[in-house]
Amino acid sequence: MKFSIVIAILAIFIITGCTNDSLVITDPSPEEIQRIMPAAKQVSQELLLALKTELQSAIATGGFEEAIAVCNLKAIPVSKIVEQSSSSVIRVKRTTSQYRNPFNAPDEIEKLALGYFQNLMVKNEPLPDNYIQKVSHADSAWYYFFKPIKMDILCLGCHGKPENIDPDVWNRIKELYPEDKATGYEEGDFRGLVSVIIRE
């Protein structure tokens, strides 16, 4: 059932040419937020905790080169495991404009959310803990829950400024991700979002 919903949503984006022309994006009602918030918050927190645990273990074992391997091989499977922990979650992933893995490239709704958070950063305004949008198409509706991610000092060994990244680590990044866009960060920078699609 969950897989068919994902396919249906992807089909909508393909049919509409990946634009929002035939999608209606609105703010959910307080009642809708109350209904979807528990599952959305839980899976977003679970994903971040699971990935951080994996990375800390990898760094302790083999340094940042090992951390890159973990991200390359385990990040998506970990996301899928967390995704399957809730029957109301259609999809959970991390997304950003400056992605390393193409899997994390934003869809059209996520691009709008990234713009919302980036605009707040430009204005030096505090980021909300989350941001929710209701997306409707024909007789279907679902919700996007977004949790902002800021750059942690733990991640700078692979995502910091290139001149500060160990040469062996840098070479490994380029080997695994020749189109990498995910370096140049400093601690506290806005990194991206945990994106959770929820159905009621």
Side-chain angles (χ1 to χ4, degrees), residues 79-93:
S79 299
K80 293 300 180 185
I81 290 170
V82 172
E83 181 179 290
Q84 293 166 6
S85 68
S86 172
S87 60
S88 62
V89 173
I90 300 172
R91 188 192 70 193
V92 59
K93 75 176 203 185

Side-chain angles (χ1 to χ4, degrees), residues 109-126:
I109 307 300
E110 290 164 342
K111 287 178 183 178
L112 295 176
L114 286 164
Y116 168 78
F117 281 98
Q118 287 162 349
N119 186 51
L120 292 176
M121 291 291 290
V122 168
K123 294 179 178 179
N124 202 30
E125 295 181 9

Side-chain angles (χ1 to χ4, degrees), residues 24-169:
V24 178
I25 305 171
T26 58
D27 292 328
S29 69
E31 292 77 18
E32 289 170 325
I33 292 174
Q34 187 175 12
R35 288 198 299 269
I36 70 165
M37 185 68 80
K41 287 182 70 174
Q42 179 179 338
V43 295
S44 62
Q45 291 167 353
E46 284 181 1
L47 176 61
L48 292 176
L49 179 59
L51 291 174
K52 186 172 184 177
T53 300
E54 290 280 0
L55 288 174
Q56 287 176 328
S57 176
I59 292 170
T61 302
F64 286 102
E65 284 190 76
E66 184 68 20
I68 295 168
V70 165
C71 281
N72 183 252
L73 298 174
K74 293 188 177 181
I76 294 175
V78 167
S79 299
K80 293 300 180 185
I81 290 170
V82 172
E83 181 179 290
Q84 293 166 6
S85 68
S86 172
S87 60
S88 62
V89 173
I90 300 172
R91 188 192 70 193
V92 59
K93 75 176 203 185
R94 295 167 301 148
T95 191
T96 176
S97 301
Q98 296 174 259
Y99 52 86
R100 175 158 288 170
N101 188 330
F103 175 83
N104 295 325
D107 65 27
E108 293 302 306
I109 307 300
E110 290 164 342
K111 287 178 183 178
L112 295 176
L114 286 164
Y116 168 78
F117 281 98
Q118 287 162 349
N119 186 51
L120 292 176
M121 291 291 290
V122 168
K123 294 179 178 179
N124 202 30
E125 295 181 9
L127 301 185
D129 290 337
N130 54 71
Y131 177 60
I132 304 173
Q133 291 284 268
K134 181 178 181 178
V135 182
S136 304
H137 176 79
D139 296 327
S140 301
W142 56 95
Y143 304 87
Y144 273 77
F145 171 96
F146 300 103
K147 180 178 179 60
I149 305 169
K150 285 193 173 183
M151 183 57 60
D152 190 290
I153 192 169
L154 174 72
C155 303
L156 294 180
C158 298
H159 292 283
K161 295 182 177 180
E163 62 268 24
N164 295 331
I165 297 176
D166 180 273
D168 290 336
V169 173

